[in-house]
Amino acid sequence: MSGKDIIILGIESSCDDTSAAVIKNGEMLSNIVAGQKVHEKFGGVVPELASRAHQQNIIPTVDAAIKEAGITKKEIDGIAFTRGPGLLGSLIVGTSFAKSFALALNIPLIEVNHMQGHILAHFIKNKEEPCLRDAVRQGYPKFPFICMTVSGGHTQIVLVKDYFEMEIIGETIDDAAGEAFDKAAKILGLPYPGGPLIDKYAKEGNPKKFLFPISNIKNFDFSFSGLKTSILYFLQKEMAKDKTFIEKNLNDICASYQDTIIRSLFKKLIKATREFKINDVAIAGGVSANSLLRSELVRIGKEESWNTFIPKFEYCTDNAGMIAIGGYYKFLKGEFVGQDVVADARLKF
Ligand code: KG4
Ligand code: ZN
């Protein structure tokens, strides 16, 4: 690569993971994630506990990311941070830290939308890949592509026309897909976050054993709240007859429930790609770590003649690498923000 190297520090603190990452010319040097075990027993993220834990974790996490990258803080060219959407108290910790660090180092500050970050994670380069400024090439999705972003807070089908030119063409009208996983897990007596556990038990279960309803919402939108209610009533009914029902059938319940969520997602994804005539199809967000979602994307992708893009596991759930890569592309465009920037829990794009 000719010219000066560009080193971006990314900071992510929108929910319950404190993360810092360093990328150089779009290539990942470090991506540290400090999770928060404190929420496990509550069956969901407790916002006030999350912001306190971010305050404790942020300095050691940034320090670890800089050390692992093998750079000094003087070499950093810009600081990218998640401005939103997310939990306000959590976002404020990362935003305030990024602002003061940028001020102290006298370098540009770059805001990144968390949901755009999930999508842009597809453009992170890894050490084994050649260094390329422009990611539009074989190996990365080509614009325009469709990305289904499925996380604990959002479920969206996004038409991605360029790095920061994105249009939401469908989204959930109530619960997110990750929330549907986590809430069912809570009903089943599993700790938070339950998505990975349902995925694990489902591997040993029969997905056709129990039948749950798929919602019928118009266009490319989703609804998952009815599904959550249906598993609740189903389990209440079965447990009244046999107190050991969950214990005896956990794998089959998980497999059947997971299958319903994944089928609901693909129903709309297929519809959207056909209508918009798009062949490059990506997934992003925490639920894209789900093994059935990943294998179905490959299987259905072959049937539909899609070029499919699945993020590496470490870039599915919340991480600062995805914020740093967003920061890198904004840095190239000179899109910076001032010290008057504030966190926005409902930030749109
Ligand atoms: O993107 P993310 O880390 O945080 C948000 O921005 O929400 O997504 C977290 C969500 C949680 O709901 C978690 O249960 C879900 O992703 N998740 C999974 C799996 N891994 C994480 N859901 C299903 N199967 C998985 N393997
Ligand atoms: Zn996320």
Side-chain angles (χ1 to χ4, degrees):
M1 161 149 308
S2 60
K4 190 193 169 301
D5 289 331
I6 295 168
I7 297 183
I8 305 290
L9 170 73
I11 292 173
E12 154 63 31
S13 72
S14 66
C15 191
D16 60 337
D17 291 307
T18 318
S19 182
V22 176
I23 64 159
K24 181 175 169 180
N25 304 325
E27 181 188 300
M28 187 65 65
L29 298 185
S30 65
N31 193 14
I32 308 287
V33 182
Q36 302 180 357
K37 288 222 163 289
V38 66
H39 310 286
E40 263 178 22
K41 59 178 180 289
F42 296 101
V45 177
V46 184
E48 189 47 39
L49 295 179
S51 39
R52 276 187 232 166
H54 282 305
Q55 280 180 324
Q56 287 172 344
N57 293 343
I58 190 116
I59 291 174
T61 305
V62 171
D63 191 45
I66 291 175
K67 286 202 176 105
E68 193 178 301
I71 58 153
T72 62
K73 57 183 192 224
K74 287 210 170 65
E75 291 177 79
I76 302 171
D77 296 294
I79 300 191
F81 68 99
T82 305
R83 186 175 161 218
L87 300 170
L88 188 60
S90 292
L91 290 166
I92 286 173
V93 178
T95 304
S96 311
F97 181 87
K99 283 165 74 171
S100 27
F101 207 33
L103 189 65
L105 295 173
N106 195 24
I107 54 173
L109 187 61
I110 308 156
E111 62 158 287
V112 176
N113 179 302
H114 180 85
M115 300 311 294
Q116 289 194 335
H118 272 301
I119 297 171
L120 295 172
H122 282 281
F123 296 99
I124 296 172
K125 283 172 256 167
N126 289 294
K127 286 201 179 83
E128 63 272 18
E129 290 176 327
C131 182
L132 275 172
R133 274 269 173 97
D134 188 357
V136 184
R137 56 145 206 180
Q138 239 191 341
Y140 297 111
K142 290 183 187 66
F143 302 118
F145 66 93
I146 279 185
C147 185
M148 183 165 71
T149 316
V150 270
S151 73
H154 296 82
T155 301
Q156 300 174 336
I157 296 183
V158 182
L159 181 62
V160 187
K161 298 170 196 164
D162 204 346
Y163 295 110
F164 300 101
E165 205 190 326
M166 304 187 188
E167 186 190 338
I168 299 170
I169 56 176
E171 61 188 330
T172 182
I173 59 160
D174 41 52
D175 291 351
E179 221 175 332
F181 273 106
D182 297 338
K183 286 181 176 169
K186 190 176 180 184
I187 299 168
L188 290 166
L190 303 172
Y192 176 86
L197 291 168
I198 292 191
D199 189 356
K200 180 177 141 201
Y201 294 119
K203 288 197 173 96
E204 311 296 324
N206 173 4
K208 304 292 168 220
K209 180 78 181 281
F210 305 110
L211 208 62
F212 297 108
I214 287 196
S215 66
N216 212 359
I217 303 291
K218 61 177 168 41
N219 302 330
F220 309 112
D221 288 339
F222 304 94
S223 165
F224 290 106
S225 70
L227 178 61
K228 174 193 66 193
T229 314
S230 102
I231 193 171
L232 177 68
Y233 289 164
F234 167 73
L235 292 174
Q236 280 173 348
K237 198 176 104 214
E238 295 297 336
M239 292 292 276
K241 289 187 263 171
D242 175 4
K243 283 213 166 340
T244 63
F245 181 81
I246 291 181
E247 211 180 300
K248 280 187 202 146
N249 296 284
L250 186 61
N251 294 344
D252 292 339
I253 299 168
C254 289
S256 305
Y257 187 77
Q258 173 177 278
D259 190 68
T260 313
I261 294 180
I262 303 304
R263 277 190 292 120
S264 312
L265 292 172
F266 278 104
K267 191 175 143 189
K268 295 305 174 83
L269 183 60
I270 294 169
K271 191 173 161 163
T273 56
R274 286 182 185 169
E275 183 137 335
F276 284 85
K277 299 191 172 36
I278 297 281
N279 286 328
D280 277 23
V281 182
I283 51 172
V287 181
S288 61
N290 182 269
S291 53
L292 184 65
L293 180 60
R294 295 168 89 90
S295 61
E296 282 295 271
L297 185 70
V298 174
R299 188 187 67 78
I300 295 171
K302 279 192 189 127
E303 280 177 11
E304 295 285 320
S305 303
W306 293 340
N307 304 313
T308 50
F309 299 89
I310 303 179
K312 284 177 77 173
F313 272 111
E314 62 166 310
Y315 305 144
C316 289
T317 45
D318 290 350
N319 69 90
M322 67 192 210
I323 303 306
I325 193 75
Y328 170 68
Y329 284 108
K330 283 200 170 177
F331 189 96
L332 294 179
K333 295 199 322 176
E335 265 188 40
F336 307 133
V337 288
Q339 285 288 327
D340 54 345
V341 69
V342 286
D344 182 349
R346 294 177 181 276
L347 188 66
K348 300 259 190 288
F349 62 83

